[in-house]
Amino acid sequence: MPHTVDFGTVSTTGLESSPVAAALAGLRANEARYFKNKYDHVFTVSPAVEVPSAVEWVHRILAEERGIVIASPALEATEFEVAGIRMAYVFYESGLSVNVMYTIEDSGKRAVGFKLSEGMEVPAELAGFKFARQKSKLAGTIRGSYFVIKKEY
């Protein structure tokens, strides 16, 4: 059952099994605030098992583009289209958030983004990436990285 992510009142609902649940909830709320402010889009998430198409799409891109398999279980996911961009997010128990931004027009931007919740270590499968830091009132310090998608999905 999808639920709207409230960035006014950060909740760990759906993320309770994460050792960094509060930070992951802040990260999720930070994304919700971004989409509301930039696109007037209401960010909703569902348990990952209820949106297997989103999880499988993200995992397929990770595997085919970089040979990456995320070791942590997926807790929540979402997929939507906004401003001609297909978006998918997967939030993992470890505190990792992976998103795919895939512009529908052939000439558009297409990338995979990784964000690490405050308090989590860099997962072994992402050790080759350099992470930049950003401060967030909702999520504390977020470390992020990305790569450009080369193939068609």
Side-chain angles (χ1 to χ4, degrees), residues 94-147:
S94 64
L96 173 68
S97 168
V98 177
N99 73 75
V100 172
M101 177 190 79
Y102 195 89
T103 303
I104 295 166
E105 284 189 25
D106 287 339
S107 61
K109 296 178 183 178
R110 296 174 175 168
V112 174
F114 304 105
K115 290 188 180 173
L116 309 177
S117 295
E118 190 168 52
M120 74 170 286
E121 296 296 321
V122 175
E125 58 270 29
L126 302 180
F129 288 89
K130 292 188 179 202
F131 288 86
R133 295 178 185 273
Q134 82 179 60
K135 290 281 192 184
S136 163
K137 288 181 182 178
L138 294 170
T141 300
I142 300 169
R143 290 166 292 158
S145 191
Y146 74 98
F147 68 83

Side-chain angles (χ1 to χ4, degrees), residues 3-152:
H3 73 273
T4 300
V5 177
D6 181 359
F7 55 86
T9 305
V10 178
S11 167
T12 59
T13 300
L15 307 173
E16 297 90 350
S17 65
S18 173
V20 291
L24 183 56
L27 179 58
R28 182 180 64 183
N30 188 66
E31 299 302 315
R33 180 178 60 195
Y34 171 80
F35 281 99
K36 182 64 177 166
N37 290 342
K38 178 142 179 124
Y39 300 107
D40 197 28
H41 173 79
V42 176
F43 195 83
T44 62
V45 293
S46 298
V49 297
E50 292 181 11
V51 282
S53 61
V55 176
E56 289 165 5
W57 189 58
V58 170
H59 287 177
R60 178 176 160 230
I61 292 170
L62 291 173
E64 290 182 14
E65 292 281 328
R66 297 290 180 102
I68 297 171
V69 176
I70 304 297
S72 180
L75 296 179
E76 289 188 328
T78 187
E79 60 184 337
F80 55 91
E81 187 178 317
V82 63
I85 304 167
R86 181 177 176 195
M87 298 292 306
Y89 275 81
V90 181
F91 296 93
Y92 296 88
E93 190 172 60
S94 64
L96 173 68
S97 168
V98 177
N99 73 75
V100 172
M101 177 190 79
Y102 195 89
T103 303
I104 295 166
E105 284 189 25
D106 287 339
S107 61
K109 296 178 183 178
R110 296 174 175 168
V112 174
F114 304 105
K115 290 188 180 173
L116 309 177
S117 295
E118 190 168 52
M120 74 170 286
E121 296 296 321
V122 175
E125 58 270 29
L126 302 180
F129 288 89
K130 292 188 179 202
F131 288 86
R133 295 178 185 273
Q134 82 179 60
K135 290 281 192 184
S136 163
K137 288 181 182 178
L138 294 170
T141 300
I142 300 169
R143 290 166 292 158
S145 191
Y146 74 98
F147 68 83
V148 175
I149 296 171
K150 305 282 189 207
K151 299 178 185 173
E152 298 284 322

